[in-house]
Amino acid sequence: MRATLFGRRSHDRGVSDLLAFTLTFSIIITGIALVSLGGLGAFDAIQQGATTDVAETSMVGFAETTDDHIKGDAPRRTTSMKLQGHGLSLQSSTLNVTVDGRSTNISTGALIRETDSGTGIVYTSGAVYRVQREGLVVSRKPSLRCSSDSVYLSVLSLNGQTDFSSSGRVTIETTLRNKTLISPQAGHSPSATTVSINVSETAYPDAWHRLFEQELSNWSSHSEPHTYQCTGISRAVVHNTTVDVRTIT
């Protein structure tokens, strides 16, 4: 009888040890799996962030290259970038500039690079924005100067058609088309008292709002929505440079 009880206890203890071992092993495997999944998720997030940073840097480089058309009358410039599967498109975008009541619509266009995570890196008229779910970031400011006595606007317009994606390297070629003096008109002096800019017809009005509110503090909000003005000046000059855009794959 004792032998039988002893054997049963030994058997029960063996089963309990096996169950404990199995449970412990399962917990360890589950823990490793969770850590691995969490690590992979973090790695993916880091990788996406790095890819977006590279995309942003390439668009800032494009902005600096196109500035040569404005500052140095460069006839042609090229910018090379690896899209890494991102989309590249040229969308319509218009700035309205009013100098002492005389209004002009300037079609600037917006070159947008959209990443896999849905973040858009936007170039428009010298400015570069990062547009993402978390909010907007101004990566580069345009040439919209408002000082105590004068306004100087240098607006660049992109002309062409671009809408594709690629995993390889592409070259964006910009060719100087024309340069126009919007204000003052030919034969007139540059005297002016008020200049206003309306961004309601731009590709990303909220991005322009962030720009004026945080980066261009000399411009004040106007009673009209999406409009900013520079007042109390004595002089205003508005230039518009138009370039043709061609993408070479």
Side-chain angles (χ1 to χ4, degrees):
M1 184 70 176
R2 287 183 180 179
T4 302
L5 290 174
F6 179 78
R8 184 178 298 171
R9 289 173 182 172
S10 298
H11 173 73
D12 292 343
R13 189 180 300 115
V15 172
S16 298
D17 290 344
L18 178 61
L19 289 173
F21 173 78
T22 302
L23 181 60
T24 302
F25 186 74
S26 298
I27 292 172
I28 293 173
I29 294 299
T30 302
I32 293 174
L34 290 174
V35 171
S36 298
L37 290 173
L40 289 174
F43 177 76
D44 287 342
I46 293 172
Q47 188 178 39
Q48 286 183 355
T51 301
T52 301
D53 290 341
V54 171
E56 181 179 18
T57 300
S58 69
M59 294 297 279
V60 170
F62 174 78
E64 293 172 350
T65 299
T66 54
D67 264 4
D68 290 345
H69 296 297
I70 300 172
K71 299 176 180 178
D73 294 330
R76 182 178 288 105
R77 284 291 183 264
T78 58
T79 304
S80 178
M81 62 177 71
K82 188 174 183 180
L83 287 184
Q84 301 173 297
H86 298 169
L88 192 67
S89 62
L90 184 58
Q91 299 182 15
S92 62
S93 187
T94 301
L95 280 176
N96 176 270
V97 179
T98 302
V99 180
D100 283 350
R102 182 174 175 269
S103 180
T104 304
N105 286 326
I106 305 176
S107 179
T108 62
L111 186 66
I112 302 170
R113 177 171 177 172
E114 187 165 352
T115 70
D116 295 336
S117 62
T119 296
I121 310 298
V122 183
Y123 167 87
T124 180
S125 191
V128 177
Y129 304 120
R130 181 192 286 215
V131 183
Q132 52 195 9
R133 299 186 190 92
E134 296 80 6
L136 300 162
V137 178
V138 178
S139 306
R140 187 178 191 269
K141 295 187 293 185
S143 298
L144 305 177
R145 189 184 71 198
C146 168
S147 65
S148 59
D149 62 350
S150 64
V151 164
Y152 178 79
L153 306 183
S154 184
V155 182
L156 188 134
S157 298
L158 301 176
N159 180 67
Q161 292 184 343
T162 297
D163 188 6
F164 73 103
S165 62
S166 173
S167 59
R169 186 168 293 278
V170 301
T171 298
I172 303 174
E173 181 184 81
T174 52
T175 304
L176 182 62
R177 186 176 186 181
N178 59 58
K179 304 189 78 168
T180 305
L181 183 63
I182 301 295
S183 183
Q185 292 180 293
H188 292 72
S189 72
S191 61
T193 58
T194 302
V195 174
S196 61
I197 300 175
N198 184 295
V199 299
S200 61
E201 298 300 320
T202 59
Y204 290 92
D206 290 343
W208 283 98
H209 174 74
R210 174 68 60 86
L211 172 73
F212 279 102
E213 292 294 326
Q214 297 188 359
E215 304 290 339
L216 302 175
S217 57
N218 288 343
W219 293 84
S220 58
S221 297
H222 191 273
S223 56
E224 184 178 350
H226 300 295
T227 302
Y228 303 87
Q229 62 181 2
C230 184
T231 59
I233 57 174
S234 58
R235 187 174 186 274
V237 176
V238 182
H239 284 285
N240 180 213
T241 300
T242 301
V243 298
D244 292 326
V245 180
R246 186 168 72 100
T247 306
I248 307 169
T249 58

